[in-house]
Amino acid sequence: MRIRKNVRYLPKPSFSPKVPARVRLDRNENPFDLPPGLKKELMGELSKIPLNRYPPAYPKELEEKIAEFHGLEPENVMVANGSDELIGLILKVFDGDHILISSPTFGMYGFFATLEGIETVDVPLEEDFRLGDIEAFSENARVIFICSPNNPTGNVQPRKRIIEVLETGVPVVLDEAYAEFAGESNTDLVKDYDNLIVLRTFSKAFGLAGARIGYAVASEETMDYLRRVLPPFSVSSLSLRAAEFMLGHTDYVNHVIRYIIDERERLYREFKEYAYPSRANFLLMRLDAHDFLLERGIAVLKLSGRLEGHIRVTVGKKEENDALIENLKEFIEKEEKLGVGD
Ligand SMILES: *Cc1c(COP(=O)(O)O)cnc(C)c1O
């Protein structure tokens, strides 16, 4: 068999179940499943869906509801199987021999570029995690990826800077997976910039990571091309229903967002010396505490490369954050006793 070279060099998936942890703060998930009352209501709705039937070929109804939610037209919205799927689809639409990313950032951009057989050019974020001179490498770029708030650093890129990058005319994918926790968004810019595609998701603030629903927001002209590469029937009718249900319960969603932001700020205050300010549902911390925490039943993400010795901690429920605080304080005390870092 002749395996394509780009596939041969892709690493094998390593998403095997990890050490079981009592507290999971490693995947930026929403710590709350639906409360029992709402869950029951949703399950009642799901039970009415005929599973022998295909879902709609294209999820128009949900797109209409999302458009209304953002004050845009349905033509501006495209739903897919998580925003991850959209990253892959977008790279099929445009021409150009490389993508631009700004590390440290989300790994899926590079993954899908490799799948497409094109290069990933990295213009690392500045010391303070602002975008570097990405325009200098924009010639013949297929897509520029900007993640804001950025995973794993948690900062947002100023709107003014995003507009400067848009002025290159190169397609810009603005990944706003965490926008609900930042309280600001740039979806409205699609009215002025044809080359902007904003990615949003139901996986984080809306708490539906298991349902795999994401969406893109772009101008009608750009969407016209994006829709051509979306395989029909790709989104499950169960997931579509769940997403529509959440849009009908935004009071609840906003309450959870508020809770997570409050808890994020509490964690930040506790570890000011080690944590970077965050506009997302996680915190980057300059603490090499991954193994220490895991031994105590708390899973966080261990970072590497430029962020060697750092962890990314998802904001959890109050009691989970309490456990984190207690154990991290113990870790810091231990490190100080050993004189690490002196
Ligand atoms: C979690 C996350 C997503 C969400 O992806 P889905 O496929 O919609 O679950 C997208 N981008 C970034 C940067 C993320 O961290």
Side-chain angles (χ1 to χ4, degrees):
M1 292 188 297
R2 294 167 63 207
I3 308 294
R4 287 171 65 206
K5 199 167 68 188
N6 52 329
V7 174
R8 197 192 304 272
Y9 292 129
L10 279 171
K12 288 185 193 179
S14 64
F15 260 78
S16 50
K18 293 192 185 141
V19 187
R22 148 179 78 89
V23 180
R24 297 292 309 254
L25 304 177
D26 57 340
R27 284 190 178 168
N28 292 350
E29 291 154 336
N30 192 314
F32 295 103
D33 192 5
L34 281 173
L38 286 184
K39 185 92 176 252
K40 202 162 164 228
E41 196 184 324
L42 172 59
M43 289 305 155
E45 286 189 25
L46 295 182
S47 72
K48 287 183 230 150
I49 294 174
L51 290 178
N52 58 321
R53 301 294 177 194
Y54 279 102
Y58 298 101
K60 275 216 110 359
E61 255 181 76
L62 177 57
E63 287 171 358
E64 281 165 15
K65 292 201 165 102
I66 292 170
E68 199 183 309
F69 179 67
H70 282 294
L72 295 162
E73 298 302 317
E75 289 73 24
N76 297 123
V77 177
M78 187 171 112
V79 166
N81 246 301
S83 44
D84 284 0
E85 181 183 37
L86 284 160
I87 297 168
L89 293 175
I90 290 164
L91 291 180
K92 293 185 185 301
V93 171
F94 301 103
D95 226 335
D97 58 16
H98 66 282
I99 65 160
L100 285 171
I101 64 159
S102 299
S103 71
T105 193
F106 193 45
M108 296 308 277
Y109 315 136
F111 170 79
F112 282 108
T114 307
L115 272 194
E116 283 299 310
I118 61 169
E119 229 180 299
T120 298
V121 174
D122 182 13
V123 182
L125 295 174
E126 305 284 341
E127 194 80 27
D128 59 2
F129 301 139
R130 283 172 181 251
L131 283 180
D133 184 10
I134 206 157
E135 290 95 326
F137 301 86
S138 64
E139 200 183 315
N140 211 23
R142 188 175 294 196
V143 167
I144 299 172
F145 284 94
I146 301 176
C147 190
S148 181
N150 184 45
N151 178 6
T153 55
N155 62 308
V156 298
Q157 300 300 339
R159 185 175 168 96
K160 208 174 98 238
R161 187 69 189 96
I162 290 165
I163 291 173
E164 285 171 4
V165 179
L166 283 167
E167 290 290 342
T168 60
V170 174
V172 173
V173 170
L174 179 63
D175 189 340
E176 290 194 340
Y178 302 98
E180 293 89 348
F181 304 107
E184 67 179 64
S185 168
N186 295 283
T187 50
D188 59 300
L189 285 179
V190 303
K191 291 176 183 155
D192 298 323
Y193 292 93
D194 248 356
N195 56 325
L196 173 62
I197 301 171
V198 182
L199 296 184
R200 303 283 294 251
T201 182
F202 281 82
S203 298
K204 307 285 158 60
F206 284 92
L208 286 189
R212 311 300 302 123
I213 297 274
Y215 58 97
V217 177
S219 73
E220 186 173 349
E221 292 78 2
T222 303
M223 255 339 163
D224 221 40
Y225 291 107
L226 251 186
R227 285 188 209 284
R228 299 179 200 203
V229 297
L230 177 71
F233 308 107
S234 81
V235 187
S236 136
S237 34
L238 300 172
S239 297
L240 290 175
R241 198 80 217 88
E244 286 173 16
F245 184 83
M246 295 315 294
L247 284 177
H249 292 85
T250 47
D251 284 352
Y252 165 73
V253 174
N254 287 332
H255 166 76
V256 170
I257 292 168
R258 193 68 251 163
Y259 177 108
I260 292 172
I261 291 173
D262 288 347
E263 283 296 291
R264 176 188 76 201
E265 294 310 308
R266 180 166 78 97
L267 284 172
Y268 179 70
R269 283 194 302 273
E270 289 283 356
F271 299 106
K272 241 191 172 100
E273 228 183 294
Y274 308 94
Y276 295 80
S278 168
R279 303 286 298 278
N281 67 339
F282 57 83
L283 288 156
L284 175 66
M285 293 188 188
R286 195 171 26 79
L287 286 168
D288 199 0
H290 172 271
D291 297 354
F292 181 92
L293 290 173
L294 197 55
E295 274 168 31
R296 285 152 184 82
I298 302 173
V300 300
L301 185 73
K302 186 185 175 81
L303 297 164
S304 58
R306 177 175 163 189
L307 292 179
E308 184 77 50
H310 290 60
I311 52 173
R312 189 197 66 194
V313 178
T314 307
V315 179
K317 296 177 187 173
K318 269 195 177 71
E319 56 272 27
E320 295 174 322
N321 302 331
D322 286 341
L324 176 77
I325 290 169
E326 190 188 315
N327 284 282
L328 267 184
K329 282 188 169 166
E330 200 184 309
F331 173 81
I332 291 166
E333 230 168 83
K334 187 183 118 229
E335 294 282 289
E336 277 171 358
K337 253 188 220 138
L338 291 171
V340 179
D342 289 352

